[in-house]
Amino acid sequence: MINKQANARNSWKTSNRHEPGERLKDVIQSSGRSNIASQEKQLYFKEDPSSSSVSDEDDSLGGLDVVPGSFIVTRRNDIESFGISFGFDYEATQRQVVMFTANGDIWRPLASDITFILPSYIPLNLVERCGTEDVPVGSQLNARTEVLKRLRDLVRELESKYSHISRSVADVYARFKNKDPNAWGEVSVTEVARMIEDNPRYPTIYAVHRHLMNYPLHFVARTPYLITQTFDIRPQNEVRELEKVLAWKRMNDGRILSFVEKAKPIIAETARRLEASALEPPSETPVSPIWNEDDQTIIDFLRMSIRQTRSNQADPYLISRSAIMRLLDPSAPTIDDASVARMLTNLGVFPPWQDLIVIQSTLDIEPEVDSKSERTAKKDKIVERSLAFSPAPNTPLGPEDFYPSDPLEAVRHDFGQLPVFVIDDPNAQELDDGLSIERIPSEPGSYWVHAHIANPTATLPPTHSFAIDAMKQGTTQYLLHHTMPLFPGSLMHHPQVGWSLGAQKGKPSRVLTFSAKIDSSGELVDYQVRAGVINNIHVVSYQSVDKLLGYDMEQLGVIRRPFGGPAPKAAAEPSGLSEAEKGDIKLLHQVSQTLQQWWLRNHTVRPFQVSSRVSVGAFPPGTMTPTLQYRQFQGFPEFKEYVVEGDSSGKGSSMMVAEIMKLAGRVGSRFALKHNVPFIRRTGEGPLFYSPAHREAMMAARRPSGVIGDHEVASNVAAMYPADYSLEPGAHHHIGAIEGEGYSRVTSPLRRALDLVSHWQLQSALLGHSKPTFDVDWMDRFRISFARLEKTRGMAGQYHEAFWQSMFLKRWFSGELRGDGFVPSNPEAVYDGFLLDRGKRSSIGGMFVFRVCVPHLGVRGPVWGVNNDSGRPQPGSMIRVRLKEVILGIKPKVDFEFVEFA
């Protein structure tokens, strides 16, 4: 029925006749008057009941400007829609495109739904006459009729081109797949389009884009797709296995039924054993293999189906996965990642503590610490060879050659015995920044504040394999149970050449120092960037510095433990510091507060989200790395803590470090601008308030550090613009960088590839080179690639943290939590929450589902069953909720149940 209606509604696409104006007016008027959305529109906008507690919609357009009048193509829930952009609208801080569709109605998809743009297709003066409301008024109808005519002409052209390219692109997979049958490949839309035309025009580019998007068996759109216009190509072996299982399912092959019959008793026995041993320590008992080759093919199919997907492309695993799962468990209410992971646990493939994020092949993460890791051993060997051989001066450097000597040695400033404070967590491995301060006797109230940053580019040229690997990885990946560093630990902590500050025992550390002169009002009045050496390094923890400054974050309520747990170790002041050095730390904190006051005078508000974190004990080695054979697990690791963290941005050591690092980023951008060095900056606009009254209300409500909470954002702010990367020195509201100054990433070269690139650029300026290390074109390409890598790594980290937070809540909720001192499970506990949006109609029962933040738990999630006789509740409304369900999928989710309005 849906297809028949859709075909009738879209029959104009295949017609060569131009439609009369009166007919187009009728289309527009009937679309605007109808109170019932088309079934196509309902399917496009349906709320996914498995939506994660972590939002992965990328609102950033990466510098692309979707100007009104642009032709756009959007995709969601496997539905493609064509339209003209009439501008942007905002709903609970989400940016929506006001899109006039080829069916004559107004849609408001998310900016992240856009997959194709043809800028300024319709003249701006015509678009401005169309209006943006759902129903046109007066002359708006005539303007929209003209737009619809042009839009449909374009769509017919694109449809025609798409229907004629199939032969030209039939061998794309065979041509571009990775030669390694187990490795992913990549291909851009432009590369494929050039197979058809030397200089492809937009119809060909669109047709190729659509072809690749429609073949998810081979091609997976790379996020953020609108910017990258690139597809990852599935490994050959994965495609073969996928096709094999799809064929078995289609042919009702007996191998699937044979596997199901063998699996059912194992599933039942494993479930009983895991339930009985839930409060025991984790363990694995060796057992004999039971799965044959065909069984393992099905198991691997299920395992690989647990992957991050986006709503703009179909999932080739979905239908066959559901069919197999229904055979294994006919009573399962829903089939999703969480239920498949639970099934693989009951099949003995996953341990009950399996982290689903670390086994994603596209992330290239080692699932756990492995002392025998081939990757680690290979990098350690490169470290040995690179240190053993020193190339001759002025000779080309090979992929394992470090610089023969420090390029900046002749211009390094020796900071003598100036105390430098490296403040970090006690277990931090990458110590890449230190702080110091100098008084200016002739100018009371003014100070030189220094950010001393580890300087790996003193050793590492951009031609080294470590540099190339770092730029491919993007950032360090932090996990609860281990870390995937940007550089090997054997190099960062080497006693002779280690890059981590203080690693070279008894020797000074080489740094790039970003110095800012701050006056009594918090104004940045002068700056310097110098290569330096620091000698008097003090490594101290955040907690010890807070103690020195008189802050107890637990007593202040910044850190809370809503479930109890082991008592935290009491912090002590930093040891080994003189009174003068302690005075320097206090003075740094004072100057940081002055910087915050300057920000408050010149800016509005920043958003703040209460968050939570957990720590978990050890599990048996090797168990986090799945195999395709049956393994017998029992028990579960012990949780160490569940901590909810509030706003500490206005006080203490973390605020102090953050303010000075932001200052360093502004100084780095200024220096690069002065020396005409191509540089990547981070830019971001301030919030867009609903009205001047909302702005004033938030200015009055903001905390001393300028932040406002989730519920205040939801009810007063139309949009919080995402930050973007740019080569221009634009403003960054949240940081405090002004237009023409810019803010750059320069403070973390040991864990972020962008900062490493920034250091090479600054190094060329410090040496007075006429050409920078990288030209403008290279930097612009790296800007795009790094933004993608950072987003991917960042989302993986958020999902990883959310997975373990959700795991804690699920086991506490079910009374299966291991750990000392935690409060007993109370499924009936009621919590205060704040609505974050106006709700969306769910595909389940047609009920509205809202997003809610629950500060007591430090989590967000959907809340079900909200009702209000006087109408739909507004964002920011306070309600009371209880935990409903915790779903441990690739995108973990904590569901809440509505209790009452507060």
Side-chain angles (χ1 to χ4, degrees):
M1 183 67 172
I2 292 175
N3 288 337
K4 287 183 179 180
Q5 290 182 357
N7 289 337
R9 185 174 168 87
N10 296 318
S11 60
W12 57 267
K13 291 182 182 179
T14 56
S15 171
N16 293 321
R17 294 179 302 167
H18 289 291
E19 299 161 284
E22 292 305 313
R23 160 68 182 149
L24 295 178
K25 285 183 180 179
D26 288 343
V27 169
I28 295 169
Q29 288 178 315
S30 62
S31 295
R33 284 195 299 261
S34 176
N35 292 323
I36 302 174
S38 68
Q39 292 193 15
E40 179 185 23
K41 186 174 183 179
Q42 290 179 45
L43 288 172
Y44 185 99
F45 286 104
K46 75 174 182 179
E47 174 71 7
D48 180 4
S50 65
S51 296
S52 168
S53 297
V54 178
S55 174
D56 65 349
E57 298 297 349
D58 186 3
D59 194 28
S60 168
L61 293 173
L64 293 178
D65 190 10
V66 186
V67 296
S70 296
F71 169 75
I72 58 176
V73 180
T74 65
R75 290 179 76 108
R76 176 171 284 269
N77 296 327
D78 206 26
I79 293 174
E80 183 178 64
S81 185
F82 306 95
I84 300 296
S85 167
F86 281 2
F88 287 106
D89 202 351
Y90 299 90
E91 171 69 27
T93 74
Q94 282 192 314
R95 180 160 49 165
Q96 302 172 335
V97 187
V98 181
M99 181 174 80
F100 180 62
T101 75
N103 288 320
D105 52 357
I106 295 289
W107 286 19
R108 288 177 171 79
L110 297 176
S112 56
D113 290 350
I114 301 174
T115 58
F116 184 85
I117 300 177
L118 185 59
S120 302
Y121 179 72
I122 301 295
L124 182 60
N125 61 354
L126 177 57
V127 171
E128 289 175 340
R129 298 203 305 272
C130 291
T132 60
E133 298 304 317
D134 291 350
V135 180
V137 178
S139 62
Q140 292 176 356
L141 178 60
N142 290 332
R144 290 191 189 188
T145 301
E146 177 61 25
V147 170
L148 185 59
K149 174 181 177 299
R150 300 187 193 187
L151 172 57
R152 287 191 167 187
D153 286 346
L154 174 58
V155 173
R156 289 189 191 97
E157 180 184 10
L158 298 181
E159 291 282 358
S160 175
K161 188 67 178 181
Y162 176 69
S163 67
H164 287 90
I165 69 160
S166 55
R167 285 188 178 181
S168 303
V169 294
D171 64 340
V172 172
Y173 182 77
R175 183 167 174 176
F176 289 100
K177 66 187 179 184
N178 198 309
K179 293 179 180 178
D180 180 346
N182 294 308
W184 287 75
E186 66 174 58
V187 67
S188 70
V189 172
T190 303
E191 285 178 282
V192 179
R194 284 177 179 153
M195 292 170 54
I196 304 170
E197 300 171 1
D198 290 337
N199 296 299
R201 296 179 62 249
Y202 66 84
T204 302
I205 293 172
Y206 164 76
V208 167
H209 143 81
R210 181 170 167 183
H211 172 82
L212 298 177
M213 192 70 81
N214 287 344
Y215 281 86
L217 177 66
H218 291 149
F219 308 104
V220 180
R222 177 180 290 178
T223 303
Y225 175 73
L226 183 62
I227 310 302
T228 65
Q229 292 290 289
T230 296
F231 287 81
D232 293 314
I233 304 174
R234 288 192 196 274
Q236 299 172 58
N237 283 345
E238 180 177 338
V239 171
R240 276 195 287 269
E241 190 169 283
L242 223 170
E243 289 177 328
K244 183 187 293 186
V245 176
L246 293 177
W248 289 353
K249 184 264 177 186
R250 187 171 58 252
M251 303 297 292
N252 292 321
D253 194 287
R255 280 169 281 203
I256 292 179
L257 291 177
S258 175
F259 166 72
V260 169
E261 292 308 309
K262 186 189 299 185
K264 282 185 174 180
I266 292 170
I267 292 168
E269 190 280 327
T270 303
R272 285 193 297 268
R273 175 171 19 89
L274 294 179
E275 182 179 4
S277 67
L279 297 176
E280 297 176 10
S283 65
E284 178 186 3
T285 302
V287 290
S288 300
I290 60 173
W291 305 121
N292 63 32
E293 186 176 343
D294 291 334
D295 297 335
Q296 291 183 49
T297 297
I298 297 169
I299 288 170
D300 204 29
F301 175 87
L302 293 174
R303 180 187 65 83
M304 289 191 300
S305 76
I306 302 175
R307 60 178 64 233
Q308 292 174 327
T309 58
R310 292 296 300 271
S311 58
N312 62 7
Q313 194 174 25
D315 182 356
Y317 285 92
L318 208 56
I319 295 175
S320 293
R321 180 177 83 168
S322 295
I324 294 170
M325 286 290 292
R326 288 295 178 198
L327 291 171
L328 290 166
D329 184 5
S331 63
T334 57
I335 305 299
D336 54 19
D337 289 336
S339 60
V340 175
R342 190 164 55 249
M343 180 62 68
L344 289 170
T345 298
N346 288 335
L347 288 168
V349 176
F350 287 174
W353 51 88
Q354 181 65 58
D355 185 328
L356 301 181
I357 309 303
V358 300
I359 59 173
Q360 298 300 302
S361 60
T362 53
L363 294 175
D364 193 28
I365 295 173
E366 291 186 316
E368 56 192 293
V369 176
D370 183 359
S371 59
K372 299 179 181 178
S373 162
E374 291 184 10
R375 183 185 305 187
T376 301
K378 180 181 178 181
K379 290 190 174 184
D380 288 344
K381 288 294 184 184
I382 295 175
V383 172
E384 291 178 11
R385 292 195 296 269
S386 295
L387 294 177
F389 174 76
S390 181
N394 303 316
T395 59
L397 298 176
E400 294 186 0
D401 291 341
F402 288 144
Y403 286 125
S405 61
D406 175 9
L408 293 168
E409 185 174 3
V411 297
R412 286 198 182 276
H413 174 77
D414 190 335
F415 283 88
Q417 290 305 304
L418 181 70
V420 176
F421 307 101
V422 178
I423 306 172
D424 217 319
D425 290 319
N427 299 321
Q429 298 297 307
E430 302 150 319
L431 302 180
D432 51 11
D433 59 79
L435 319 177
S436 68
I437 189 166
E438 290 186 272
R439 297 156 179 81
I440 305 175
S442 60
E443 299 180 46
S446 294
Y447 305 91
W448 277 102
V449 176
H450 309 294
H452 306 279
I453 309 302
N455 189 199
T457 59
T459 306
L460 184 73
T463 51
H464 198 284
S465 63
F466 288 157
I468 294 168
D469 288 347
M471 287 186 277
K472 289 179 180 177
Q473 180 175 325
T475 68
T476 290
Q477 185 76 66
Y478 295 103
L479 305 168
L480 263 68
H481 45 277
H482 82 115
T483 297
M484 193 176 82
L486 205 58
F487 299 107
S490 59
L491 179 58
M492 284 196 294
H493 303 289
H494 195 281
Q496 276 76 50
V497 297
W499 297 338
S500 187
L501 295 183
Q504 301 178 42
K505 304 303 181 185
K507 296 173 62 178
S509 289
R510 288 179 288 201
V511 293
L512 277 189
T513 296
F514 300 81
S515 304
K517 183 180 178 182
I518 304 300
D519 68 13
S520 58
S521 68
E523 195 77 39
L524 170 55
V525 294
D526 199 0
Y527 66 91
Q528 289 180 291
V529 175
R530 290 171 287 181
V533 292
I534 54 176
N535 309 275
N536 188 10
I537 300 173
H538 300 275
V539 178
V540 292
S541 70
Y542 285 114
Q543 294 84 352
S544 66
V545 173
D546 284 339
K547 180 73 172 178
L548 173 64
L549 296 172
Y551 293 106
D552 185 321
M553 296 302 176
E554 303 224 12
Q555 285 189 2
L556 291 169
V558 173
I559 292 177
R560 293 181 290 104
R561 302 176 189 272
F563 299 100
K569 183 184 292 186
E573 289 189 9
S575 61
L577 296 184
S578 67
E579 290 303 313
E581 289 164 342
K582 292 178 181 179
D584 279 358
I585 291 177
K586 293 176 180 178
L587 188 56
L588 280 164
H589 186 256
Q590 176 185 317
V591 172
S592 300
Q593 291 177 315
T594 303
L595 290 169
Q596 280 205 333
Q597 292 302 310
W598 175 86
W599 188 93
L600 289 167
R601 289 194 300 274
N602 292 279
H603 301 83
T604 55
V605 297
R606 295 179 280 208
F608 173 76
Q609 179 179 334
V610 175
S611 62
S612 59
R613 58 178 169 83
V614 303
S615 61
V616 64
F619 46 82
T623 58
M624 191 67 82
T625 305
T627 69
L628 298 180
Q629 267 302 347
Y630 174 69
R631 298 187 291 176
Q632 196 171 95
F633 300 106
Q634 61 187 40
F636 199 88
E638 185 178 47
F639 279 94
K640 302 296 184 181
E641 65 177 0
Y642 185 107
V643 171
V644 174
E645 297 182 329
D647 172 33
S648 64
S649 60
K651 57 183 77 70
S653 57
S654 60
M655 176 278 293
M656 180 173 71
V657 173
E659 287 298 325
I660 294 173
M661 294 306 109
K662 288 186 284 189
L663 199 58
R666 293 167 60 194
V667 167
S669 178
R670 285 193 183 193
F671 183 86
L673 189 65
K674 178 181 178 181
H675 290 81
N676 199 30
V677 174
F679 222 53
I680 297 172
R681 278 95 175 178
R682 189 80 166 155
T683 62
E685 297 181 48
L688 175 67
F689 297 95
Y690 284 118
S691 70
H694 287 92
R695 181 185 186 279
E696 291 308 311
M698 287 299 93
M699 292 293 285
R702 66 183 182 174
R703 318 293 194 274
S705 58
V707 303
I708 56 175
D710 278 358
H711 61 291
E712 294 163 316
V713 171
S715 55
N716 293 277
V717 178
M720 282 288 185
Y721 297 104
D724 274 327
Y725 285 110
S726 170
L727 296 182
E728 299 302 318
H732 194 309
H733 174 271
H734 296 348
I735 295 296
I738 59 176
E739 185 71 33
E741 172 188 68
Y743 165 72
S744 58
R745 293 279 179 82
V746 296
T747 60
S748 301
L750 301 185
R751 56 186 177 88
R752 196 164 49 208
L754 174 56
D755 303 52
L756 189 70
V757 167
S758 297
H759 277 219
W760 278 313
Q761 294 294 85
L762 295 173
Q763 185 165 292
S764 64
L766 289 167
L767 291 171
H769 290 169
S770 58
K771 292 185 177 180
T773 306
F774 304 110
D775 63 22
V776 171
D777 290 342
W778 189 96
M779 291 291 280
D780 199 42
R781 291 193 300 272
F782 182 73
R783 173 185 68 85
I784 295 170
S785 66
F786 177 78
R788 178 187 67 82
L789 289 168
E790 184 180 47
K791 174 75 174 177
T792 300
R793 295 284 175 206
M795 290 307 304
Q798 288 184 50
Y799 282 129
H800 169 77
E801 291 175 3
F803 181 87
W804 286 99
Q805 293 156 8
S806 301
M807 179 71 83
F808 180 102
L809 292 172
K810 187 176 184 69
R811 297 189 75 85
W812 177 82
F813 189 68
S814 62
E816 296 179 337
L817 184 72
R818 287 190 67 235
D820 294 332
F822 291 109
V823 298
S825 172
N826 181 11
E828 298 303 314
V830 175
Y831 309 100
D832 291 338
F834 297 93
L835 296 181
L836 299 178
D837 59 19
R838 291 181 172 83
K840 294 181 181 179
R841 192 176 297 279
S842 169
S843 58
I844 298 179
M847 69 177 69
F848 277 92
V849 57
F850 294 76
R851 282 179 58 79
V852 64
C853 68
V854 182
H856 183 75
L857 302 179
V859 296
R860 293 178 169 193
V863 57
W864 303 79
V866 178
N867 57 72
N868 189 343
D869 294 337
S870 61
R872 284 163 67 182
Q874 296 300 302
S877 299
M878 186 175 177
I879 62 174
R880 293 196 171 92
V881 299
R882 65 168 60 93
L883 275 173
K884 179 175 184 284
E885 186 180 16
V886 180
I887 300 173
L888 292 170
I890 192 73
K891 298 178 179 180
K893 180 166 70 90
V894 180
D895 277 2
F896 292 95
E897 179 183 21
F898 174 76
V899 175
E900 61 184 358
F901 283 95

